[in-house]
Amino acid sequence: MIGEESAASGVAGMRERIVGAAYDLFTRRGVRDVGINELISSSGVAKATFYRHFASKDELVLAFLEKRDQVWTVNAIMGEARLRAGTPEQQLLAIFDVFTDWFHRTDFEACSFINVLLEMGASHPLGRASIDYLARIRGHVKQLADEAGLQRTDDFSRSWHILMKGSIISAAEGDLDAAQRARKLASWLIEDHRA
């Protein structure tokens, strides 16, 4: 039994090593720019081991997107926004404070979901997966809006998400204060959706 547990953790460890290497490469350079051989080399596994865990690069990209959602969206953005503010309304606004810190980091890489969507297109399976993850972000925003007692929260979350995505694109263009500009617009949006 102990040998089986050790083998299972070794298999999971190899998979995580591959996903970890992909995470670093894909967030910095995008999906298309990174080849299979570089992924294998960076993860330090044999080619056979790589293909035992991922039959294709697309499968690995899907695992990367799943990890990005948990690490970045859930923990770094939404989790940090909830920690920074006491009320749901303040937590919504704190998203842009988290963004401000992110935009000023030297390793700012924009949004992986937007990047993959633009690289692959909306009809590609990876583009569709990115659209689904972007919808999950809207879901987090809608949940906070519901908790805040705002009205028309589906409409609100779509408008809010436009501010989020727009500020990310503006920061990628070099406007490192884009999140604070979006935060001002966000305050008006909250007022427009109050009960």
Side-chain angles (χ1 to χ4, degrees):
M1 293 293 206
I2 293 175
E4 289 176 17
E5 289 175 15
S6 180
S9 69
V11 168
M14 288 293 188
R15 179 181 171 80
E16 187 53 38
R17 186 195 299 182
I18 296 166
V19 173
Y23 188 92
D24 181 53
L25 292 167
F26 291 157
T27 54
R28 286 187 295 112
R29 296 189 7 226
V31 171
R32 287 195 175 177
D33 190 44
V34 180
I36 291 287
N37 290 335
E38 184 177 6
L39 288 162
I40 291 168
S41 175
S42 292
S43 61
V45 299
K47 194 175 216 172
T49 301
F50 179 90
Y51 282 109
R52 193 172 6 219
H53 293 283
F54 300 99
S56 68
K57 182 179 169 184
D58 284 0
E59 279 188 24
L60 178 56
V61 174
L62 290 172
F64 155 71
L65 292 173
E66 180 180 359
K67 182 173 181 166
R68 185 68 173 178
D69 179 57
Q70 184 60 47
V71 168
W72 193 244
T73 305
V74 174
N75 297 342
I77 295 175
M78 300 310 296
E80 183 63 24
R82 284 190 179 271
L83 288 174
R84 288 186 184 201
T87 69
E89 264 188 35
Q90 293 169 338
Q91 291 166 357
L92 282 163
L93 292 169
I95 291 169
F96 294 104
D97 298 332
V98 174
F99 275 19
T100 294
D101 293 346
W102 177 36
F103 295 169
H104 284 88
R105 288 178 23 182
T106 57
D107 64 345
F108 170 68
E109 72 286 14
C111 174
S112 295
F113 306 124
I114 294 171
N115 294 344
V116 172
L117 174 60
L118 294 176
E119 279 186 279
M120 306 309 291
S123 63
H124 190 279
L126 298 176
R128 287 193 306 271
S130 296
I131 290 168
D132 291 342
Y133 283 111
L134 289 166
R136 288 173 59 116
I137 294 169
R138 278 195 311 279
H140 294 297
V141 169
K142 184 180 184 313
Q143 179 180 345
L144 281 174
D146 288 336
E147 291 172 20
L150 299 179
Q151 300 297 309
R152 304 177 323 277
T153 55
D154 185 58
D155 177 59
F156 173 87
S157 65
R158 289 183 177 279
S159 297
W160 193 272
H161 202 207
I162 289 170
L163 294 175
M164 290 173 70
K165 291 182 285 190
S167 69
I168 292 168
I169 298 299
S170 293
E173 293 172 339
D175 180 3
L176 301 184
D177 295 324
Q180 290 310 301
R181 294 181 221 294
R183 193 182 198 281
K184 288 179 185 175
L185 297 171
S187 294
W188 297 335
L189 188 61
I190 288 172
E191 287 301 321
D192 187 54
H193 286 266
R194 284 195 196 281

PDB file of all heavy atoms in Angstrom, residues 27 38-39 55 69 84 117 119 124 136 140 148 151 153 178 182:
ATOM      1  N   THR A  27       2.268  32.089 -19.205  1.00  0.00           N
ATOM      2  CA  THR A  27       1.889  33.408 -18.692  1.00  0.00           C
ATOM      3  C   THR A  27       2.815  34.490 -19.230  1.00  0.00           C
ATOM      4  O   THR A  27       2.373  35.600 -19.503  1.00  0.00           O
ATOM      5  CB  THR A  27       1.889  33.470 -17.144  1.00  0.00           C
ATOM      6  OG1 THR A  27       3.143  33.044 -16.645  1.00  0.00           O
ATOM      7  CG2 THR A  27       0.777  32.637 -16.558  1.00  0.00           C
ATOM      8  N   GLU A  38      10.314  22.706 -25.794  1.00  0.00           N
ATOM      9  CA  GLU A  38      10.670  23.638 -24.719  1.00  0.00           C
ATOM     10  C   GLU A  38       9.930  23.289 -23.435  1.00  0.00           C
ATOM     11  O   GLU A  38      10.491  23.375 -22.332  1.00  0.00           O
ATOM     12  CB  GLU A  38      10.373  25.071 -25.137  1.00  0.00           C
ATOM     13  CG  GLU A  38      10.810  26.091 -24.109  1.00  0.00           C
ATOM     14  CD  GLU A  38      10.596  27.532 -24.540  1.00  0.00           C
ATOM     15  OE1 GLU A  38       9.989  27.769 -25.610  1.00  0.00           O
ATOM     16  OE2 GLU A  38      11.037  28.413 -23.796  1.00  0.00           O
ATOM     17  N   LEU A  39       8.671  22.899 -23.550  1.00  0.00           N
ATOM     18  CA  LEU A  39       7.902  22.498 -22.373  1.00  0.00           C
ATOM     19  C   LEU A  39       8.520  21.268 -21.704  1.00  0.00           C
ATOM     20  O   LEU A  39       8.640  21.214 -20.479  1.00  0.00           O
ATOM     21  CB  LEU A  39       6.449  22.205 -22.767  1.00  0.00           C
ATOM     22  CG  LEU A  39       5.608  23.424 -23.127  1.00  0.00           C
ATOM     23  CD1 LEU A  39       4.367  23.012 -23.899  1.00  0.00           C
ATOM     24  CD2 LEU A  39       5.243  24.202 -21.872  1.00  0.00           C
ATOM     25  N   ALA A  55      -1.712  14.221 -23.768  1.00  0.00           N
ATOM     26  CA  ALA A  55      -1.663  13.671 -25.125  1.00  0.00           C
ATOM     27  C   ALA A  55      -1.358  14.738 -26.167  1.00  0.00           C
ATOM     28  O   ALA A  55      -0.928  14.420 -27.266  1.00  0.00           O
ATOM     29  CB  ALA A  55      -2.972  12.972 -25.456  1.00  0.00           C
ATOM     30  N   ASP A  69      -6.888  29.934 -13.315  1.00  0.00           N
ATOM     31  CA  ASP A  69      -8.137  30.344 -12.692  1.00  0.00           C
ATOM     32  C   ASP A  69      -8.026  30.256 -11.170  1.00  0.00           C
ATOM     33  O   ASP A  69      -8.406  31.189 -10.462  1.00  0.00           O
ATOM     34  CB  ASP A  69      -9.298  29.475 -13.195  1.00  0.00           C
ATOM     35  CG  ASP A  69     -10.620  29.850 -12.561  1.00  0.00           C
ATOM     36  OD1 ASP A  69     -11.022  31.023 -12.666  1.00  0.00           O
ATOM     37  OD2 ASP A  69     -11.247  28.967 -11.948  1.00  0.00           O
ATOM     38  N   ARG A  84      -8.923  42.789   1.483  1.00  0.00           N
ATOM     39  CA  ARG A  84      -8.609  44.218   1.573  1.00  0.00           C
ATOM     40  C   ARG A  84      -9.775  45.086   2.023  1.00  0.00           C
ATOM     41  O   ARG A  84      -9.576  46.239   2.391  1.00  0.00           O
ATOM     42  CB  ARG A  84      -8.120  44.741   0.218  1.00  0.00           C
ATOM     43  CG  ARG A  84      -6.748  44.255  -0.143  1.00  0.00           C
ATOM     44  CD  ARG A  84      -6.261  44.910  -1.406  1.00  0.00           C
ATOM     45  NE  ARG A  84      -4.978  44.374  -1.811  1.00  0.00           N
ATOM     46  CZ  ARG A  84      -4.145  45.001  -2.611  1.00  0.00           C
ATOM     47  NH1 ARG A  84      -4.469  46.184  -3.112  1.00  0.00           N
ATOM     48  NH2 ARG A  84      -3.000  44.448  -2.936  1.00  0.00           N
ATOM     49  N   LEU A 117      -7.528  33.589 -25.746  1.00  0.00           N
ATOM     50  CA  LEU A 117      -8.674  33.836 -26.623  1.00  0.00           C
ATOM     51  C   LEU A 117      -8.233  34.558 -27.890  1.00  0.00           C
ATOM     52  O   LEU A 117      -8.615  34.169 -29.007  1.00  0.00           O
ATOM     53  CB  LEU A 117      -9.736  34.650 -25.882  1.00  0.00           C
ATOM     54  CG  LEU A 117     -10.938  35.122 -26.696  1.00  0.00           C
ATOM     55  CD1 LEU A 117     -11.694  33.949 -27.295  1.00  0.00           C
ATOM     56  CD2 LEU A 117     -11.847  35.975 -25.817  1.00  0.00           C
ATOM     57  N   GLU A 119      -5.163  34.724 -29.136  1.00  0.00           N
ATOM     58  CA  GLU A 119      -4.227  33.888 -29.896  1.00  0.00           C
ATOM     59  C   GLU A 119      -4.935  32.805 -30.696  1.00  0.00           C
ATOM     60  O   GLU A 119      -4.580  32.533 -31.835  1.00  0.00           O
ATOM     61  CB  GLU A 119      -3.240  33.182 -28.944  1.00  0.00           C
ATOM     62  CG  GLU A 119      -2.085  34.008 -28.479  1.00  0.00           C
ATOM     63  CD  GLU A 119      -1.113  33.166 -27.666  1.00  0.00           C
ATOM     64  OE1 GLU A 119      -1.378  32.952 -26.471  1.00  0.00           O
ATOM     65  OE2 GLU A 119      -0.110  32.720 -28.245  1.00  0.00           O
ATOM     66  N   HIS A 124     -11.903  28.097 -31.519  1.00  0.00           N
ATOM     67  CA  HIS A 124     -10.956  27.051 -31.127  1.00  0.00           C
ATOM     68  C   HIS A 124     -11.324  26.544 -29.724  1.00  0.00           C
ATOM     69  O   HIS A 124     -11.785  27.319 -28.891  1.00  0.00           O
ATOM     70  CB  HIS A 124      -9.534  27.629 -31.133  1.00  0.00           C
ATOM     71  CG  HIS A 124      -8.467  26.595 -30.980  1.00  0.00           C
ATOM     72  ND1 HIS A 124      -8.112  26.082 -29.757  1.00  0.00           N
ATOM     73  CD2 HIS A 124      -7.678  25.996 -31.904  1.00  0.00           C
ATOM     74  CE1 HIS A 124      -7.139  25.202 -29.929  1.00  0.00           C
ATOM     75  NE2 HIS A 124      -6.859  25.124 -31.222  1.00  0.00           N
ATOM     76  N   ARG A 136     -16.545  32.868 -15.691  1.00  0.00           N
ATOM     77  CA  ARG A 136     -16.406  32.580 -14.256  1.00  0.00           C
ATOM     78  C   ARG A 136     -16.017  33.835 -13.494  1.00  0.00           C
ATOM     79  O   ARG A 136     -16.472  34.053 -12.365  1.00  0.00           O
ATOM     80  CB  ARG A 136     -15.375  31.477 -14.035  1.00  0.00           C
ATOM     81  CG  ARG A 136     -15.856  30.108 -14.471  1.00  0.00           C
ATOM     82  CD  ARG A 136     -14.750  29.077 -14.394  1.00  0.00           C
ATOM     83  NE  ARG A 136     -14.235  28.968 -13.051  1.00  0.00           N
ATOM     84  CZ  ARG A 136     -14.309  27.883 -12.297  1.00  0.00           C
ATOM     85  NH1 ARG A 136     -14.888  26.805 -12.786  1.00  0.00           N
ATOM     86  NH2 ARG A 136     -13.801  27.859 -11.097  1.00  0.00           N
ATOM     87  N   HIS A 140     -17.929  35.651 -10.306  1.00  0.00           N
ATOM     88  CA  HIS A 140     -17.405  36.140  -9.020  1.00  0.00           C
ATOM     89  C   HIS A 140     -17.893  37.569  -8.758  1.00  0.00           C
ATOM     90  O   HIS A 140     -18.275  37.914  -7.644  1.00  0.00           O
ATOM     91  CB  HIS A 140     -15.879  36.106  -9.000  1.00  0.00           C
ATOM     92  CG  HIS A 140     -15.284  34.743  -9.048  1.00  0.00           C
ATOM     93  ND1 HIS A 140     -15.487  33.798  -8.060  1.00  0.00           N
ATOM     94  CD2 HIS A 140     -14.467  34.161  -9.964  1.00  0.00           C
ATOM     95  CE1 HIS A 140     -14.828  32.692  -8.371  1.00  0.00           C
ATOM     96  NE2 HIS A 140     -14.208  32.879  -9.519  1.00  0.00           N
ATOM     97  N   ALA A 148     -23.857  42.580  -2.184  1.00  0.00           N
ATOM     98  CA  ALA A 148     -23.969  44.018  -1.905  1.00  0.00           C
ATOM     99  C   ALA A 148     -25.402  44.518  -2.035  1.00  0.00           C
ATOM    100  O   ALA A 148     -25.684  45.674  -1.707  1.00  0.00           O
ATOM    101  CB  ALA A 148     -23.060  44.804  -2.848  1.00  0.00           C
ATOM    102  N   GLN A 151     -28.818  45.944  -7.853  1.00  0.00           N
ATOM    103  CA  GLN A 151     -29.897  45.536  -8.754  1.00  0.00           C
ATOM    104  C   GLN A 151     -29.321  45.153 -10.122  1.00  0.00           C
ATOM    105  O   GLN A 151     -28.256  45.620 -10.503  1.00  0.00           O
ATOM    106  CB  GLN A 151     -30.899  46.684  -8.925  1.00  0.00           C
ATOM    107  CG  GLN A 151     -31.537  47.121  -7.624  1.00  0.00           C
ATOM    108  CD  GLN A 151     -32.352  46.002  -7.005  1.00  0.00           C
ATOM    109  OE1 GLN A 151     -33.204  45.392  -7.655  1.00  0.00           O
ATOM    110  NE2 GLN A 151     -32.084  45.711  -5.741  1.00  0.00           N
ATOM    111  N   THR A 153     -27.915  42.476 -11.398  1.00  0.00           N
ATOM    112  CA  THR A 153     -26.517  42.080 -11.191  1.00  0.00           C
ATOM    113  C   THR A 153     -25.893  41.369 -12.391  1.00  0.00           C
ATOM    114  O   THR A 153     -24.676  41.389 -12.539  1.00  0.00           O
ATOM    115  CB  THR A 153     -26.363  41.222  -9.918  1.00  0.00           C
ATOM    116  OG1 THR A 153     -27.246  40.096  -9.999  1.00  0.00           O
ATOM    117  CG2 THR A 153     -26.661  42.041  -8.673  1.00  0.00           C
ATOM    118  N   ALA A 178      -4.333  52.668 -15.193  1.00  0.00           N
ATOM    119  CA  ALA A 178      -5.624  52.304 -15.784  1.00  0.00           C
ATOM    120  C   ALA A 178      -6.602  51.764 -14.748  1.00  0.00           C
ATOM    121  O   ALA A 178      -7.803  52.047 -14.825  1.00  0.00           O
ATOM    122  CB  ALA A 178      -5.419  51.280 -16.898  1.00  0.00           C
ATOM    123  N   ALA A 182     -10.368  53.079 -13.989  1.00  0.00           N
ATOM    124  CA  ALA A 182     -11.511  52.161 -14.032  1.00  0.00           C
ATOM    125  C   ALA A 182     -12.256  52.162 -12.693  1.00  0.00           C
ATOM    126  O   ALA A 182     -13.488  52.052 -12.665  1.00  0.00           O
ATOM    127  CB  ALA A 182     -11.039  50.750 -14.379  1.00  0.00           C
TER     128      ALA A 182
END
